[in-house]
Amino acid sequence: MSRQPPVERLAWLVNRLRCMSVGEVGYRMQQAAVGRLERRGMLRWSAPAPESTARALPRAGTPPLQPGEADAILLDAERIKSGEVVLFAECRFNVGAQPEWNRDPASGVLGPSVFAGDIRITDRALVGDIKHVWELNRHLHLVRLAQAWRVSGDPAWLAVLRAQVSGWLEQCPPMTGPNWTSSLEMGIRLINWAMVWQLAGGADGQLFAGEGGQALRRAWLDSIYAHCQSIARHLSRHSSANNHLIGELAGLYVATTAWPCWDQSARWRGQAARELEHEALAQFSSDGVNREQAFSYHVFSSEFLFVAALAGQASGRPFSSQYWESLERALHFLRSVMDVGGHVPMVGDADDGIVWRLDPGHNDRAALLLSLGGALAGERAPQSATARWLLHAFPGQRPRSIQPAQAPGWSFPDGGYLLFGRDFGAASEIKGLLDCGPLGYLGIAAHGHADALSLTLSVAGEECLVDPGTYSYWQALKWRDYFRGTSAHNTVRVDGADQSVSGGRFMWVRKARSHVERMPQSPGQFDFRGTHNGYMRLADPARHIREVKFDAASRTLIVTDRVAAKGAHKVEQFWHFAPGLAVTRHASGVHVRGKAFGLQLEVVGEGAVIELVRGQEDPPLGWYSRSYEAKQPCDVVKITTVSNGAPLECRFTISFSQCLPEG
């Protein structure tokens, strides 16, 4: 079914096998055998009769609403009723009042209603863009319909909700079609179904009134059982055990807590709880960094861990203090890297995937996550609608182990990030982030970028030097390769090659390893020296050495790069500036003007050639992607030289507008 050329497919398979252990090969073979049995109908999917006496979650309530929140919920629900939904961060699609759930809302391609294991999800002619199909079928928008009923009491919203759920159950029977191809997507769907079920009144709510309502409840429970069964059979393991495994376990845990209806429920719940406890520690460093080295997935994984923890609190089965401490550290890191303007550097992959969408007026996931953490720590009444709705959908005691937020930090050596700057948290803040950690997590490092020793910078809450983001997973390969490649990051490329070697869209077969040679002592007197081995694979092995110095008193950042080798190599240094900044080239270097700051870049290096590039198509250079499937031009300063160890020095001097108060 795939349109991928056989040679490319074979190359991918060879690369994938190179990233697997013997144990993983055995697991993949076992999974293939399970798939064959499922295809032949030899494994049961139909649910046994639910136990009516099983204890579920406490009844949900309606949170206190702030002015305008009810109107915003109802307005968004009206749009959903007419067929308009928001997917990813802010893209609106018209899917119809009665959606075709297997149709890609972007391309219009209707996926086949065949055994899910036979569908090649990368075949755009067959399924369209599977990310769009999956995003719609996470059913975040169905929670909005339940919220609309909660705030209005109008049963018409339950009728709309009933029609959408019934349509999905009819079009997507177990293991049929593209919506049964991913255990992660099933997990997210279960989480949102649990919130819908809770907010709509539970098993005896008005949604299930009458003969038709009872039939819906039976059919829905059957599908919930099949979801749980499929997730339990097809958990992401070995080199795929990243955020996918956390999301699958969280969905399984929430489902078996919300619907403890079958003999298997307790076993599934126990397994999910044990493994979530393990993954909360394994996938986050001791200083709170998600080991995928992708800040969007840091938030994504944290969302899963939080919703599972809230379900545990609500059911009287709290997670351990170590689990909560891991979440505290994750929030501490997120709070530390966020600048005073609320920006988080776009390190690593991002697809705008989200576990829930409870506030129609806000989609800043990092800020919403921090607000939830603050509410659980009892710092103040939750200001975000997201925190209030979650705490009412999963009512329970506040965990005793979560602590109020610490002051932001600057040194995260285990996770691989260091901050430099001054006046953190003030209007005159200068905040830089240096990446000196690993490429990514586990054998394939799926969501890491070739960004060793890269850095970002914000000034006065305004992004300055940026990581350009991700753009798309499934557009033309040149765009996937560009946005995750070295030339899209503020670091050095040697001989036109990426630091690490890609083996596919979500796979690295050779990974650059960074090493810190001199650790700075403070963010304001920052003196760093580090290297990576990504170019030791060249015929003439080369070692990139970077020194980063920041002096708070003079507001000066100095970055010095050397490429040590026997012979000369082509060295390219890249500096990506945020869209909206005025970047001009002049005789002595480059000048950058923001809303409240100016920056002067001076370059010193023998034979250095300075170019200002913007929106170049072939090869791509000078692009920025704030959200998934969207890109825009940005200014990139490209500095090229041929060197065998001579230093290339860039001096950035920052000044402020007179109207800006300094720290």
Side-chain angles (χ1 to χ4, degrees):
M1 291 182 179
S2 174
R3 301 294 178 88
Q4 187 179 24
V7 174
E8 291 184 16
R9 176 66 180 166
L10 178 60
W12 181 89
L13 287 171
V14 170
N15 287 332
R16 190 67 182 88
L17 284 169
R18 290 171 62 189
C19 296
M20 290 186 188
S21 65
V22 173
E24 179 167 5
V25 173
Y27 181 71
R28 300 293 176 188
M29 293 175 66
Q30 180 263 336
Q31 286 288 289
V34 171
R36 286 193 292 272
L37 292 175
E38 290 174 337
R39 184 184 297 107
R40 295 170 184 171
M42 299 174 69
L43 293 178
R44 177 177 178 174
W45 289 108
S46 59
E51 300 176 13
S52 59
T53 58
R55 182 169 65 90
L57 292 169
R59 189 178 298 275
T62 303
L65 300 177
Q66 295 183 354
E69 286 184 351
D71 289 342
I73 287 170
L74 293 172
L75 176 60
D76 197 38
E78 286 287 353
R79 289 172 170 167
I80 294 167
K81 180 181 177 181
S82 67
E84 183 181 302
V85 297
V86 174
L87 304 182
F88 305 110
E90 53 190 17
C91 299
R92 292 191 175 273
F93 293 87
N94 195 313
V95 299
Q98 295 296 323
E100 291 183 275
W101 295 105
N102 293 317
R103 188 179 295 281
D104 170 16
S107 68
V109 173
L110 180 65
S113 294
V114 299
F115 176 67
D118 290 336
I119 299 174
R120 192 172 300 283
I121 60 174
T122 58
D123 188 346
R124 295 173 73 93
L126 181 69
V127 298
D129 187 332
I130 194 64
K131 288 290 296 179
H132 286 82
V133 179
W134 285 345
E135 189 73 14
L136 172 64
N137 286 272
R138 289 178 175 183
H139 288 176
L140 280 67
H141 70 283
L142 297 189
V143 181
R144 182 77 73 242
L145 298 174
Q147 288 177 297
W149 176 73
R150 271 286 176 189
V151 301
S152 69
D154 186 347
W157 293 116
L158 293 182
V160 178
L161 183 58
R162 187 182 298 116
Q164 294 232 354
V165 174
S166 297
W168 194 93
L169 296 173
E170 180 180 348
Q171 295 174 37
C172 305
M175 295 309 295
T176 302
N179 288 306
W180 290 86
T181 56
S182 166
S183 294
L184 173 63
E185 299 304 319
M186 295 182 211
I188 298 174
R189 192 155 53 241
L190 285 174
I191 289 169
N192 283 284
W193 280 2
M195 284 193 278
V196 170
W197 189 282
Q198 281 286 94
L199 294 175
D204 56 354
Q206 294 182 36
L207 181 64
F208 304 120
E211 185 175 340
Q214 293 175 28
L216 171 63
R217 182 173 57 195
R218 287 193 298 271
W220 203 355
L221 285 172
D222 284 348
S223 186
I224 290 165
Y225 176 88
H227 276 68
C228 294
Q229 182 78 276
S230 182
I231 291 173
R233 286 177 183 166
H234 301 288
L235 288 166
S236 296
R237 298 295 192 192
H238 299 281
S239 60
S240 298
N242 51 18
N243 70 85
H244 282 237
L245 180 58
I246 288 180
E248 292 156 9
L249 293 170
L252 187 60
Y253 183 81
V254 170
T256 52
T257 302
W259 302 287
C261 302
W262 305 281
D263 290 341
Q264 298 95 323
S265 297
R267 174 171 55 84
W268 288 335
R269 184 177 60 245
Q271 177 188 358
R274 288 191 302 273
E275 293 201 40
L276 280 170
E277 290 272 3
H278 176 268
E279 296 303 319
L281 300 177
Q283 294 200 36
F284 286 81
S285 69
S286 62
D287 44 23
V289 180
N290 183 265
R291 294 194 183 277
E292 293 201 69
Q293 312 302 131
F295 289 3
S296 177
Y297 286 96
H298 180 106
V299 175
F300 195 50
S301 294
S302 299
E303 289 171 343
F304 284 124
L305 293 174
F306 263 112
V307 76
L310 292 176
Q313 292 294 132
S315 65
R317 303 181 184 92
F319 282 81
S320 70
S321 60
Q322 289 84 0
Y323 182 100
W324 283 103
E325 288 163 5
S326 180
L327 280 175
E328 290 172 19
R329 291 191 294 269
L331 294 180
H332 175 62
F333 175 72
L334 189 61
R335 189 179 299 108
S336 298
V337 299
M338 181 182 286
D339 72 13
V340 70
H343 305 106
V344 174
M346 296 190 297
V347 174
D349 269 351
D351 65 358
D352 294 342
I354 189 170
V355 181
W356 57 70
R357 184 179 285 113
L358 294 164
D359 185 345
H362 301 280
N363 59 17
D364 185 339
R365 295 167 56 212
L368 293 173
L369 189 65
L370 292 174
S371 174
L372 175 60
L376 289 171
E379 294 176 359
R380 57 187 180 277
Q383 296 301 303
S384 83
T386 294
R388 281 182 272 117
W389 279 103
L390 277 173
L391 294 175
H392 279 76
F394 300 103
Q397 291 187 343
R398 180 174 66 86
R400 295 180 181 179
S401 56
I402 197 164
Q403 300 297 317
Q406 308 172 43
W410 69 274
S411 178
F412 302 88
D414 187 29
Y417 298 96
L418 301 170
L419 295 169
F420 59 86
R422 55 174 280 180
D423 302 335
F424 291 173
S428 57
E429 175 187 82
I430 298 172
K431 179 172 281 190
L433 175 78
L434 174 65
D435 183 342
C436 54
L439 172 66
Y441 188 51
L442 300 176
I444 57 176
H447 293 299
H449 286 187
D451 57 1
L453 303 183
S454 180
L455 58 83
T456 63
L457 177 71
S458 76
V459 182
E462 189 175 358
E463 292 178 301
C464 180
L465 290 171
V466 295
D467 185 312
T470 299
Y471 176 43
S472 175
Y473 291 160
W474 299 111
Q475 290 288 347
L477 185 58
K478 77 170 187 177
W479 291 109
R480 176 64 173 149
D481 287 345
Y482 166 66
F483 275 95
R484 69 202 288 252
T486 300
S487 66
H489 298 89
N490 300 317
T491 188
V492 162
R493 183 171 68 174
V494 178
D495 292 346
D498 287 332
Q499 299 163 339
S500 297
V501 179
S502 173
R505 291 177 183 263
F506 300 96
M507 177 171 34
W508 297 96
V509 293
R510 298 191 67 163
K511 308 172 187 69
R513 294 176 62 89
S514 298
H515 175 67
V516 178
E517 296 185 346
R518 184 172 64 239
M519 180 68 74
Q521 299 303 307
S522 73
Q525 289 299 314
F526 192 89
D527 188 358
F528 167 90
R529 176 186 168 101
T531 68
H532 72 79
N533 66 355
Y535 295 114
M536 296 300 288
R537 71 181 193 270
L538 300 179
D540 175 29
R543 187 164 63 105
H544 176 206
I545 306 163
R546 169 163 280 191
E547 295 183 351
V548 179
K549 297 181 180 181
F550 178 77
D551 178 65
S554 62
R555 298 190 295 266
T556 302
L557 169 67
I558 302 174
V559 181
T560 305
D561 288 308
R562 294 178 178 86
V563 175
K566 291 180 179 180
H569 291 266
K570 180 182 178 181
V571 177
E572 299 166 290
Q573 189 185 62
F574 302 94
W575 300 110
H576 298 74
F577 292 94
L581 299 179
V583 183
T584 54
R585 174 83 170 88
H586 54 79
S588 60
V590 175
H591 185 74
V592 180
R593 171 61 63 184
K595 296 176 182 177
F597 75 92
L599 181 146
Q600 180 69 31
L601 167 59
E602 299 173 278
V603 180
V604 179
E606 183 178 350
V609 176
I610 304 174
E611 301 175 72
L612 189 58
V613 182
R614 179 182 179 86
Q616 179 178 294
E617 291 272 353
D618 192 16
L621 184 64
W623 295 94
Y624 176 89
S625 174
R626 169 55 66 182
S627 58
Y628 191 69
E629 291 288 348
K631 70 181 189 299
Q632 65 184 110
C634 73
D635 290 303
V636 174
V637 174
K638 176 184 175 183
I639 305 165
T640 307
T641 187
V642 176
S643 170
N644 61 349
L648 179 61
E649 179 184 290
C650 289
R651 178 183 292 265
F652 302 84
T653 304
I654 300 166
S655 60
F656 288 116
S657 303
Q658 292 183 353
C659 61
L660 183 71
E662 298 208 28

